[in-house]
Amino acid sequence: MTRNTPSSASLILFDAEGRARKTQAHAVRLQLADGRSVTVDLSQAADGVVSLLAEHTDERQRAGLLMRPDSHDAVSVAVTATPLVTTTGTPVTPPALELDVQYGDGIKAGKGLPARGRIETWLRSALFADAELTVRFVGEEEGRMLNRSYRGKDYPTNVLTFAYAEQEDDPVAADIVLCCPVVEREAREQGKPLEAHYAHLIVHGALHAQGYEHEDDAEAEEMEAIETETLQALGYADPYRVRPAD
């Protein structure tokens, strides 16, 4: 931007060979190739004040300035970039999700089950990276068989997560299996809306798919904190809140 006004400061540009060219400017922007930029605001230059503003063309990135004194009268400025994240640490712009929703024998879409769009919203809220996930709703027989075969426990449980990433850098891929009769029974016993309980278990499964566990108190505390904050951001109550006695 160039303004020939009394408040404009003189801007001197130097090429690679040290040749100078002088112009008048109100502000100047240095645009970096990856989208980062720093704008030098000269509007208060008459008072000896120069302001710096860091920006990024990618709305998912927050730009910042890192300043390091080089001497008593010189400073180096680096334009930084960090991904915008939610309070739980997930990206503000949700990662890509490839989702397959399946229904076991005797289980039909509807009839108290969450719609695909709602499932996608719940999963995206709990993802820290792109993921390929299958959510399968099953009856007691299939739920019991899976729990017995893979966990050695001869009863159906509310949710099972089969995560397929073997290394930390592997893409997130998992099957999340929910046993509908168990989920419905738990919701009644705990006095929770059925939708809220499904939301909690699907978020819980998504965290397991990304390597979160609750084998010890520290792991459980971290996982429960993320689940609680995620559910509350989605508009549901704290899933671990203890109901007052009747």
Side-chain angles (χ1 to χ4, degrees):
M1 291 176 284
T2 301
R3 296 182 182 179
N4 294 316
T5 62
S7 62
S8 295
S10 295
L11 180 67
I12 302 176
L13 305 177
F14 295 91
D15 62 19
E17 297 178 0
R19 291 189 294 263
R21 183 167 62 88
K22 187 175 181 180
T23 185
Q24 296 291 312
H26 181 77
V28 61
R29 174 174 293 146
L30 305 177
Q31 185 71 54
L32 304 181
D34 64 356
R36 292 175 295 165
S37 68
V38 59
T39 298
V40 183
D41 182 356
L42 303 173
S43 60
Q44 301 178 69
D47 297 323
V49 177
V50 175
S51 298
L52 303 179
L53 172 65
E55 296 177 289
H56 205 298
T57 55
D58 186 344
E59 296 180 353
R60 297 169 299 180
Q61 301 284 332
R62 175 187 285 113
L65 292 172
L66 180 63
M67 306 184 73
R68 185 190 71 230
D70 285 341
S71 62
H72 73 281
D73 59 356
V75 65
S76 294
V77 178
V79 185
T80 63
T82 55
L84 289 172
V85 297
T86 66
T87 54
T88 58
T90 58
V92 169
T93 301
L97 170 63
E98 185 175 334
L99 174 63
D100 183 21
V101 179
Q102 300 178 356
Y103 303 91
D105 292 342
I107 306 298
K108 296 183 180 179
K111 294 188 176 181
L113 296 182
R116 180 188 178 91
R118 191 61 58 88
I119 295 169
E120 288 184 356
T121 298
W122 298 340
L123 289 171
R124 291 180 189 277
S125 71
L127 288 177
F128 297 85
D130 296 348
E132 182 177 340
L133 301 174
T134 294
V135 173
R136 182 175 175 83
F137 298 94
V138 303
E140 287 202 53
E141 183 177 349
E142 184 175 344
R144 180 176 181 177
M145 181 274 294
L146 290 170
N147 203 26
R148 181 176 62 243
S149 299
Y150 293 96
R151 299 177 68 226
K153 299 182 178 182
D154 193 19
Y155 57 84
T157 189
N158 51 18
V159 61
L160 291 169
T161 301
F162 301 95
Y164 302 119
E166 297 181 354
Q167 304 294 330
E168 185 175 343
D169 294 334
D170 289 348
V172 177
D175 294 337
I176 301 172
V177 181
L178 298 112
C179 185
C180 300
V182 175
V183 177
E184 293 167 5
R185 183 166 59 248
E186 289 179 344
R188 289 193 302 269
E189 293 172 350
Q190 297 172 24
K192 296 178 179 179
L194 181 58
E195 178 180 290
H197 198 35
Y198 270 120
H200 177 210
L201 294 175
I202 287 175
V203 166
H204 184 87
L207 294 178
H208 271 313
Q210 298 170 95
Y212 284 89
E213 295 294 344
H214 42 77
E215 297 299 324
D216 58 43
D217 290 345
E219 290 178 342
E221 184 176 346
E222 179 185 19
M223 193 168 178
E224 290 176 11
I226 296 174
E227 291 171 18
T228 297
E229 193 160 354
T230 300
L231 268 292
Q232 290 179 334
L234 289 166
Y236 301 106
D238 179 351
Y240 293 102
R241 178 174 55 86
V242 179
R243 291 186 302 152
D246 294 335

